[in-house]
Amino acid sequence: MSRSSLTDQLVDLRRSCTGENLSQAVPAVRAVLHELPDHRRERVVAALRGEADARGLFLPEAATEAQRTLECLVFQAATEAGGHLQLRPPASMLRPAHPFRAVEPHEVPRLHLAEHALGPLLFELLPRHEDAWVAGVAGLRVRRHPRSVELRLAGVPAAVLLAGVDERAWQVGMDYVRRLIKGRGLSDRFAEGPLSQAERDQLAEFPRPGGLGSALLRRYGLFTGAPWLRSWSHGAQWWLEWPESLGVVGVADRLRHPVVGVPGLRETSGEAGGLRLTDGWYELGLREVAPPDPANEEALAAVEWPEGVTGWWEPPHVVG
């Protein structure tokens, strides 16, 4: 097998999981191959044939527990943000409603946003102090850069970058957040600096999710062929659900792939419409549900959503 064909195969596999373009994936794959001694390169070739395991090399996992935790939180917020994108006029259950178009799985992942996605994602992420609770992600903090936004957790050495977010994009995203907050009569007191007491109390009662959410974020491209993705987590357990389209077996096979799969992940059982997987520590359930009915699309698109239902709402124009 020539070096170029090996590189091409690895790049294609990585891109099928991450959604990266060639200029993002090729240098990352080449850098790993360049450092591999011959015996490990042979192991990669064997893994491509299904005869060995080389997971973790060409699609790396988060290196620390803190980083995994932050990525779990971002993944959870991303699946919630999909509901906002479905209601963007004209509302649709068939139009893709995913906040990310690509993920570069570096030590600090770079997430490339889909069009219109920043506002819905920020609404789900940014912590706000309500009367007796904290909305959004308790402890999340934002650091803005000229062309990106850095997501962090207060007092925790972990980060995720939202790429391509300049001043104008930030203002457009925050306009969405503020419209929805105002429409729902919610607080606009965003948490900043060290953890507030309300955030500490909430985290004590509701611990942050763990488990495989980080690995799923780094493979978000597996799911963008479905109109939407939903997730639930409890402790270290995750469940994913999407409308019939991708095939549960196909997704599970890629998550267990000997090169780009999640290290140690294996199937444990089947269940109605889905599969359960585990890496020995954490569990993941996958399920497909009935797809949206195209016959409902016209009526859904015609709905005029009132203030507070969605941040896409605009006040009526008053003539005269």
Side-chain angles (χ1 to χ4, degrees):
M1 180 180 292
S2 70
R3 288 174 181 267
S4 60
S5 63
L6 175 58
T7 300
D8 290 345
Q9 288 188 64
L10 294 169
V11 166
D12 289 345
L13 279 170
R14 174 165 159 146
R15 292 182 66 209
S16 71
C17 295
T18 65
E20 293 168 292
N21 60 35
L22 287 172
S23 66
Q24 294 159 349
V26 170
V29 168
R30 284 179 174 167
V32 176
L33 279 175
H34 179 73
E35 298 295 328
L36 288 182
D38 288 345
H39 72 280
R40 296 197 70 189
R41 183 186 291 268
E42 292 171 2
R43 184 176 180 84
V44 171
V45 174
L48 288 170
R49 297 195 298 260
E51 300 169 356
D53 193 317
R55 284 179 274 190
L57 282 175
F58 298 96
L59 206 166
E61 306 300 327
T64 67
E65 187 63 31
Q67 184 67 35
R68 285 190 290 273
T69 297
L70 175 57
E71 293 178 24
C72 284
L73 290 164
V74 173
F75 177 74
Q76 191 171 56
T79 60
E80 295 292 332
H84 299 261
L85 291 169
Q86 288 174 323
L87 295 183
R88 183 178 63 81
S92 171
M93 293 294 289
L94 295 175
R95 182 183 64 226
H98 299 284
F100 306 129
R101 54 184 176 83
V103 176
E104 294 182 74
H106 303 309
E107 181 177 352
V108 175
R110 292 181 61 87
L111 310 181
H112 296 266
L113 294 163
E115 191 176 12
H116 310 295
L118 181 59
L121 188 62
L122 290 177
F123 180 82
E124 297 298 335
L125 285 171
L126 296 180
R128 306 184 315 277
H129 288 289
E130 298 293 338
D131 290 340
W133 56 288
V134 179
V137 176
L140 187 94
R141 299 295 183 262
V142 169
R143 180 182 299 168
R144 293 171 55 198
H145 303 286
R147 290 287 301 165
S148 65
V149 168
E150 183 178 353
L151 306 177
R152 306 189 70 91
L153 294 175
V156 174
V160 168
L161 286 179
L162 303 180
V165 181
D166 58 15
E167 177 66 25
R168 183 179 181 279
W170 175 263
Q171 292 303 326
V172 171
M174 288 304 297
D175 285 346
Y176 178 93
V177 173
R178 292 190 175 97
R179 280 196 302 269
L180 191 48
I181 286 174
K182 179 181 178 182
R184 295 183 178 181
L186 300 174
S187 167
D188 61 356
R189 294 184 297 120
F190 294 100
E192 297 178 347
L195 280 175
S196 67
Q197 187 59 51
E199 288 177 302
R200 293 180 187 277
D201 292 343
Q202 184 152 319
L203 290 171
E205 185 175 359
F206 303 104
R208 289 166 172 154
L212 296 170
S214 168
L216 297 169
L217 177 69
R218 289 170 175 249
R219 295 165 176 80
Y220 197 91
L222 290 176
F223 306 102
T224 54
W228 46 260
L229 176 68
R230 302 282 187 264
S231 74
W232 298 266
S233 66
H234 179 71
Q237 296 185 349
W238 285 83
W239 294 266
L240 301 188
E241 176 182 285
W242 63 88
E244 290 179 6
S245 53
L246 306 175
V248 168
V249 172
V251 171
D253 285 347
R254 192 48 53 97
L255 288 172
R256 296 175 298 159
H257 192 278
V259 175
V260 293
V262 181
L265 196 66
R266 56 185 171 80
E267 181 181 333
T268 59
S269 63
E271 52 189 38
L275 291 172
R276 293 194 65 80
L277 310 172
T278 183
D279 66 353
W281 296 94
Y282 308 122
E283 294 187 358
L284 170 65
L286 306 176
R287 183 176 68 168
E288 285 195 328
V289 296
D293 186 348
N296 295 330
E297 287 288 287
E298 185 176 354
L300 181 62
V303 173
E304 295 185 6
W305 303 102
E307 182 178 13
V309 173
T310 167
W312 310 116
W313 180 87
E314 293 282 3
H317 178 66
V318 179
V319 178

